[in-house]
């Protein structure tokens, strides 16, 4: 395993912001054009030529500069290239988080670049090129939106919260019944409302900048929220699993909240825990 210094992590962090902007140019140029669309696990699990193009651009750039680092990406995993998550320096990438939004020209899409070392998230970059919003965070240094520091909401009462979630891409009747039972339970708290932007990263970034108090979801992958997760933490928020237990990046469930009280209160309202196979096993 490579032994990394703080200076080397800083170099990777700066590089991540640069290549996120380059990837954003590819997304922006294709956003209002017709797309070549394919499906993966189901009719609601979409992929486009741009997803693959952006991931290749990011992978090629990283391999050229940091040839010994590991890479985990949504499209490469979908194609069967499954790498275990190790202590090595690892880039965890979603080329276009919110592909369905991208297909429909709904402007909540993001390039997501997370980085782990010793299995700890060290930094994250989330770039929405359509809105030109660059969210960044490195552990211990705060979270930023276009260079301006951001903070989570200070609201302590779940009943006064705006909560983000997603229905996911599964259309299995049992899974959907559990999803809707959880939604009904959360709404009956009652919270102010539930919103959905169609992007795990964008939902989490709403929490980071104080536009929402919490985000929960069962079924997303590590590349969906690795980068955004540390942005939430560095903005003063917390991460936990869907049952309120310690956060596990590979467990495919997440609560991102502005504080532990809201997170724990939300976990108690999630009456149906939904299990998915762990990532990178």
């Amino acid at each position: 395993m490579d032994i990394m210094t703080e200076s080397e992590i800083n170099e990777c962090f700066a590089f991540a912001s640069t290549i996120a902007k380059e990837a954003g140019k590819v997304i922006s140029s294709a956003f209002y054009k017709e797309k070549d669309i394919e499906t993966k696990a189901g009719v609601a699990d979409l992929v486009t030529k741009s997803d693959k193009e952006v991931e290749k651009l990011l992978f090629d750039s990283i391999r050229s500069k940091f040839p010994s680092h590991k890479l985990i990406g949504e499209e490469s995993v979908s194609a069967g290239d499954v790498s275990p998550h190790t202590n090595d320096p690892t880039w965890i990438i979603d080329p276009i988080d919110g592909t369905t939004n991208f297909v429909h020209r709904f402007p909540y899409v993001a390039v997501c670049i997370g980085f782990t070392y010793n299995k700890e998230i060290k930094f994250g970059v989330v770039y929405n090129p359509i809105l030109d919003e660059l969210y960044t965070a490195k552990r211990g240094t705060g979270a930023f939106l276009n260079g301006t520091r951001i903070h989570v909401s200070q609201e302590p009462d779940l009943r006064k919260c705006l909560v983000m979630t997603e229905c996911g891409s599964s259309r299995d009747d049992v899974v959907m019944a559990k999803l809707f039972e959880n939604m009904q339970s959360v709404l009956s708290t009652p919270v102010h409302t539930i919103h959905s932007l169609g992007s795990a990263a964008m939902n989490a970034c709403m929490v980071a900048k104080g536009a929402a108090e919490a985000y929960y979801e069962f079924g997303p992958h590590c590349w969906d929220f690795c980068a955004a997760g540390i942005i939430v933490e560095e903005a003063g928020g917390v991460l936990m699993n869907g049952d309120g237990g310690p956060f596990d990046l590979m467990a495919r469930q997440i609560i991102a909240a502005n504080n532990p009280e809201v997170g724990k209160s939300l976990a108690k309202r999630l009456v149906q825990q939904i299990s998915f196979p762990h990532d990178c096993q």
Side-chain angles (χ1 to χ4, degrees), residues 51-105:
D51 290 88
K52 299 174 183 178
E53 183 180 349
V54 170
E55 183 161 300
K56 184 178 187 306
L57 182 156
L58 295 173
F59 273 33
D60 288 350
S61 298
I62 295 166
R63 284 174 175 145
S64 176
K65 192 169 181 65
F66 306 105
S68 66
H69 290 189
K70 300 293 194 302
L71 292 158
I72 296 172
E74 178 177 12
E75 304 315 326
S76 57
V77 170
S78 294
D81 182 12
V82 181
S83 300
H85 188 220
T86 69
N87 289 324
D88 291 321
T90 303
W91 300 73
I92 300 179
I93 290 170
D94 191 341
I96 304 178
D97 186 51
T99 297
T100 300
N101 290 347
F102 177 66
V103 167
H104 289 274
R105 302 168 186 170

Side-chain angles (χ1 to χ4, degrees), residues 192-251:
H192 276 176
T193 192
I194 291 178
H195 282 346
S196 173
L197 292 180
S199 160
M202 288 284 92
N203 288 334
C205 286
M206 293 302 109
V207 176
K209 71 177 183 179
E213 279 69 39
Y215 155 60
Y216 76 90
E217 187 175 356
F218 294 94
H221 293 276
C222 59
W223 46 80
D224 293 315
F225 54 77
C226 177
I230 191 171
I231 294 169
V232 170
E233 290 183 307
E234 287 298 314
V238 296
L239 302 179
M240 55 188 73
N241 275 1
D243 61 0
F247 174 66
D248 180 349
L249 178 60
M250 298 297 157

